[in-house]
Amino acid sequence: TGWAQIHGYRGSKPTSELMKKRMEYDLWYMNNWSIWLDIYIILKTFYYFLENQKYKKSLIINAIKNVEKVFTN
């Protein structure tokens, strides 16, 4: 989820401990989802992108997917 991504848990995880952490963020997101949380994630994603150009293109794609989720649900 975007929630795990903005906390640094994106892409493949080399250890089971890192994967566990990512899953914890995913579960937290699913249990606490709201439109405001998605908006926060989107804004934070764009902030990071604008502040640091080294973020990969996939981060923006995931932000766009979050926006699409808002409008399709």
Side-chain angles (χ1 to χ4, degrees), residues 43-57 59-60:
L43 292 175
K44 192 158 184 168
T45 299
F46 282 116
Y47 170 78
Y48 280 128
F49 177 73
L50 294 174
E51 288 294 314
N52 190 347
Q53 291 297 318
K54 72 180 180 181
Y55 275 84
K56 294 182 180 179
K57 193 164 97 173
L59 193 61
I60 298 301

CSV table of all heavy atoms in Angstrom, one decimal, residues 43-57 59-60:
chain,number,residue,atom,x,y,z
A,43,LEU,N,-0.5,13.4,-0.9
A,43,LEU,CA,0.2,14.7,-0.6
A,43,LEU,C,1.6,14.4,-0.2
A,43,LEU,O,2.6,15.0,-0.6
A,43,LEU,CB,-0.5,15.5,0.4
A,43,LEU,CG,-1.9,16.1,-0.1
A,43,LEU,CD1,-2.6,16.8,1.0
A,43,LEU,CD2,-1.7,17.0,-1.3
A,44,LYS,N,1.8,13.4,0.7
A,44,LYS,CA,3.1,13.1,1.2
A,44,LYS,C,4.0,12.5,0.1
A,44,LYS,O,5.2,12.8,0.0
A,44,LYS,CB,3.0,12.1,2.3
A,44,LYS,CG,4.3,12.0,3.1
A,44,LYS,CD,4.1,11.4,4.5
A,44,LYS,CE,5.5,11.4,5.1
A,44,LYS,NZ,5.4,11.2,6.5
A,45,THR,N,3.3,11.8,-0.8
A,45,THR,CA,4.1,11.2,-2.0
A,45,THR,C,4.6,12.3,-2.9
A,45,THR,O,5.7,12.3,-3.3
A,45,THR,CB,3.2,10.3,-2.7
A,45,THR,OG1,2.8,9.2,-1.9
A,45,THR,CG2,3.9,9.7,-4.0
A,46,PHE,N,3.7,13.3,-3.2
A,46,PHE,CA,4.1,14.4,-4.0
A,46,PHE,C,5.2,15.3,-3.3
A,46,PHE,O,6.1,15.8,-4.0
A,46,PHE,CB,2.9,15.2,-4.5
A,46,PHE,CG,2.2,14.5,-5.6
A,46,PHE,CD1,0.9,14.1,-5.4
A,46,PHE,CD2,2.8,14.3,-6.8
A,46,PHE,CE1,0.2,13.5,-6.4
A,46,PHE,CE2,2.1,13.7,-7.8
A,46,PHE,CZ,0.8,13.3,-7.6
A,47,TYR,N,5.0,15.4,-2.1
A,47,TYR,CA,6.0,16.2,-1.3
A,47,TYR,C,7.4,15.6,-1.5
A,47,TYR,O,8.4,16.2,-1.8
A,47,TYR,CB,5.6,16.3,0.2
A,47,TYR,CG,6.7,16.9,1.0
A,47,TYR,CD1,7.0,18.3,1.0
A,47,TYR,CD2,7.6,16.1,1.8
A,47,TYR,CE1,8.0,18.8,1.8
A,47,TYR,CE2,8.6,16.6,2.5
A,47,TYR,CZ,8.8,18.0,2.5
A,47,TYR,OH,9.8,18.5,3.3
A,48,TYR,N,7.5,14.3,-1.2
A,48,TYR,CA,8.7,13.6,-1.3
A,48,TYR,C,9.3,13.7,-2.7
A,48,TYR,O,10.5,13.8,-3.0
A,48,TYR,CB,8.6,12.1,-0.9
A,48,TYR,CG,8.6,11.8,0.5
A,48,TYR,CD1,7.7,11.1,1.1
A,48,TYR,CD2,9.7,12.3,1.3
A,48,TYR,CE1,7.7,10.8,2.5
A,48,TYR,CE2,9.7,12.1,2.7
A,48,TYR,CZ,8.7,11.3,3.3
A,48,TYR,OH,8.7,11.1,4.6
A,49,PHE,N,8.4,13.5,-3.7
A,49,PHE,CA,8.8,13.6,-5.1
A,49,PHE,C,9.4,14.9,-5.4
A,49,PHE,O,10.5,15.0,-6.1
A,49,PHE,CB,7.7,13.2,-6.0
A,49,PHE,CG,8.1,13.4,-7.5
A,49,PHE,CD1,8.9,12.4,-8.1
A,49,PHE,CD2,7.7,14.4,-8.2
A,49,PHE,CE1,9.2,12.5,-9.4
A,49,PHE,CE2,8.0,14.5,-9.6
A,49,PHE,CZ,8.8,13.6,-10.2
A,50,LEU,N,8.7,16.0,-5.0
A,50,LEU,CA,9.2,17.3,-5.3
A,50,LEU,C,10.5,17.7,-4.6
A,50,LEU,O,11.4,18.4,-5.1
A,50,LEU,CB,8.1,18.3,-5.0
A,50,LEU,CG,6.9,18.3,-5.9
A,50,LEU,CD1,5.8,19.2,-5.4
A,50,LEU,CD2,7.2,18.5,-7.4
A,51,GLU,N,10.6,17.2,-3.4
A,51,GLU,CA,11.8,17.5,-2.5
A,51,GLU,C,13.0,16.6,-2.9
A,51,GLU,O,14.1,17.0,-2.7
A,51,GLU,CB,11.5,17.2,-1.1
A,51,GLU,CG,10.6,18.3,-0.5
A,51,GLU,CD,11.2,19.7,-0.5
A,51,GLU,OE1,12.4,19.8,0.0
A,51,GLU,OE2,10.5,20.6,-0.9
A,52,ASN,N,12.8,15.4,-3.5
A,52,ASN,CA,13.9,14.5,-3.7
A,52,ASN,C,13.6,13.8,-5.0
A,52,ASN,O,12.9,12.8,-5.1
A,52,ASN,CB,14.0,13.5,-2.6
A,52,ASN,CG,15.3,12.7,-2.6
A,52,ASN,OD1,15.9,12.7,-3.7
A,52,ASN,ND2,15.6,12.1,-1.6
A,53,GLN,N,14.3,14.2,-6.1
A,53,GLN,CA,14.1,13.7,-7.4
A,53,GLN,C,14.6,12.2,-7.6
A,53,GLN,O,14.3,11.6,-8.6
A,53,GLN,CB,14.8,14.6,-8.5
A,53,GLN,CG,14.1,15.9,-8.6
A,53,GLN,CD,12.7,15.8,-9.1
A,53,GLN,OE1,12.4,15.0,-10.0
A,53,GLN,NE2,11.8,16.6,-8.5
A,54,LYS,N,15.2,11.7,-6.6
A,54,LYS,CA,15.7,10.3,-6.7
A,54,LYS,C,14.7,9.2,-6.5
A,54,LYS,O,14.9,8.1,-6.8
A,54,LYS,CB,16.9,10.0,-5.8
A,54,LYS,CG,16.6,9.9,-4.4
A,54,LYS,CD,17.8,9.7,-3.6
A,54,LYS,CE,17.5,9.6,-2.1
A,54,LYS,NZ,18.7,9.3,-1.3
A,55,TYR,N,13.4,9.6,-6.1
A,55,TYR,CA,12.4,8.7,-5.9
A,55,TYR,C,12.0,8.1,-7.3
A,55,TYR,O,11.9,8.8,-8.3
A,55,TYR,CB,11.1,9.3,-5.3
A,55,TYR,CG,11.2,9.2,-3.8
A,55,TYR,CD1,11.9,10.2,-3.1
A,55,TYR,CD2,10.7,8.2,-3.1
A,55,TYR,CE1,12.0,10.2,-1.7
A,55,TYR,CE2,10.8,8.2,-1.7
A,55,TYR,CZ,11.5,9.2,-1.0
A,55,TYR,OH,11.6,9.1,0.3
A,56,LYS,N,11.8,6.8,-7.3
A,56,LYS,CA,11.5,6.2,-8.6
A,56,LYS,C,10.1,6.5,-9.2
A,56,LYS,O,9.2,6.9,-8.4
A,56,LYS,CB,11.7,4.7,-8.5
A,56,LYS,CG,13.1,4.2,-8.1
A,56,LYS,CD,13.2,2.8,-8.0
A,56,LYS,CE,14.6,2.4,-7.7
A,56,LYS,NZ,14.8,1.0,-7.6
A,57,LYS,N,10.0,6.3,-10.4
A,57,LYS,CA,8.7,6.6,-11.1
A,57,LYS,C,7.6,5.8,-10.5
A,57,LYS,O,6.4,6.2,-10.5
A,57,LYS,CB,8.9,6.2,-12.6
A,57,LYS,CG,7.8,6.8,-13.5
A,57,LYS,CD,8.2,6.8,-14.9
A,57,LYS,CE,7.7,5.6,-15.7
A,57,LYS,NZ,8.0,5.6,-17.1
A,59,LEU,N,6.7,5.3,-7.6
A,59,LEU,CA,6.1,6.0,-6.5
A,59,LEU,C,5.0,6.9,-7.0
A,59,LEU,O,3.9,6.9,-6.4
A,59,LEU,CB,7.2,6.8,-5.7
A,59,LEU,CG,6.8,7.4,-4.4
A,59,LEU,CD1,6.4,6.3,-3.4
A,59,LEU,CD2,7.9,8.2,-3.8
A,60,ILE,N,5.2,7.6,-8.1
A,60,ILE,CA,4.2,8.4,-8.7
A,60,ILE,C,3.1,7.6,-9.2
A,60,ILE,O,1.9,7.9,-9.0
A,60,ILE,CB,4.8,9.3,-9.8
A,60,ILE,CG1,5.8,10.2,-9.2
A,60,ILE,CG2,3.7,10.1,-10.5
A,60,ILE,CD1,5.3,11.2,-8.1
